[in-house]
Amino acid sequence: MSQTLNKPDPYNGLRRAEPTLPSTAYHDPEAYRRDIEAIWYRNWVLVCRSAEIAEPLSFRTVRIGGQEIVVVRDETGTLRAFHNTCRHRGAQLCRESEGRLKARLITCPYHAWSYSLRGDLVRVPSKTLPEGFDRSDYPLYSVALEEWRGFVFVNLAETPGAPLAESFDRESGDLSNWPLENLVAGHVFRTALKCNWKVFWENFNECLHCPGVHKHLSALVPIYGRGLMARHDDPEWALHADNDAAEFSGGLRSGAETWSEDGCAHGPLFPGLSERDRAAGQTYVMNLPSMFVVGHVDYVRCVRLSPLGPEETELTAEWLFLPEQLAAPGFDIANIVDFGIRVLEEDADVCELNQRGLRSARHDRGVLMPEEYDIHRFHNWVRDQHARHDD
C-alpha cells in the first residue's frame, strides 16, 4: 500500500484470503452457549428506549440469552435494572412484559417479599425470622444500566469492563446533530430470523450482496449497486477522488433526500444538520453485539438484535420521528417504513439462506474477499471476546 501518497487502504489490510469463523460457530449449541456467556453477558446490550419507561413506577422485562431482567423507573425518575428474581427462593418477580407498579415496591407474587425500587429488601411477611437474618444481606441482584441519548443499555457483567461510551464501534459515524433524545417511535417492526446472530452482522458488514439482493436500495444509494459500502472501498478510488457523484461518494442518487419509496423526505428536515450530514444520505452508529442506529435527514432508524437460540435471532426495528412530524396532517409514514421493511426482509431472506448452507458436513469454514474487511474485523472482535472470557 502506498502510505507515502497518504492514500487510505481500501481494504483496511485485508489482503490475504482470510478464513471465516468455523461453521459450527453458527449452529452448534455449545458454541452458542459460549457466545452468550462471553459476549452477550459481558457487553452493553440495548434493551429499549427511555421513553418506553417514562413514568415513575413503570417497568419492562427483557430477556438476554437465558437471563430475564426487569428495568424500572423509580419514584425519583432514575432508571434501574435487576435480575427478575426474588432473593427468597428465586421466583420470578414481574410476570408481565411491561406495566406500572401499584406501589413503590417490587413485591414477589409467590411469598410477598417486597423490595424498594432501589433493590433493598424492605419486607418479609414470615411470622418469625431466623437467627442472624439481616434484610440488608438480601437486596435484588442489580444490573449495570446506562442511557445513551434516549436509549437504555444494560450489562450483565458484575463489573462491566468499560463504560457504555467506550463500547461503540470506532468506525461509527457522528449523530451529534440529530435530536435523538426528542424522537418518538412511529412504527415498530419485529420478526424472528432463522439464523445465528453473527450471520446478521456479517451481512450488515458487507455490500457485495447489494446489487443482487437490494435492487431498490442499490438504485437509491448507487455505490451499493457497485457492491461497495464507501468511497475508499474502491481500489481505484483515487481516480474519482474529486468526483462527488453518488456512485463514488456514497450519497443518495440525484434528487433523493432520504431512504423512502420515492426518495423524498416527509415533513421538515431535522434542524441543526450540517451540509455534510445531509449529503451523507445515511449515518450509522453501531454497538456490538446488539444494535445499530441510522440517521437520515428526516427520521432515525434503530435495529436491535436479541439471540433466541443457535439458529434464531429476534430483530426489532423502530422508525423514530419528531412528535410534530407524526402529528402533521397527511404525514405519509408508509412511504418511509415500507422501504425500510423491504430492505430488512431482503436481508432476512439471504441471512436464512446463508444459515441453511452452513449445515453442510463438508463446509468447515469459508473464505473472505477483500471487500469483506469489516467481516474480518467483526470475526476478530468475536475471537477477542472469547479469548478474554477464557482467560
Side-chain angles (χ1 to χ4, degrees), residues 50 63 74 122 130 160 182 216 223 244 246 252 255-256 264 275 295 348 382:
S50 304
R63 179 168 290 277
D74 72 17
V122 296
N182 301 325
H216 294 83
I223 201 168
D244 288 331
L252 306 181
C264 294
E275 182 59 37
V382 171

Side-chain angles (χ1 to χ4, degrees), residues 125-140:
S126 298
K127 301 299 185 292
T128 60
L129 297 179
E131 185 176 336
F133 180 86
D134 188 337
R135 289 184 180 86
S136 65
D137 293 334
Y138 299 93
L140 293 179

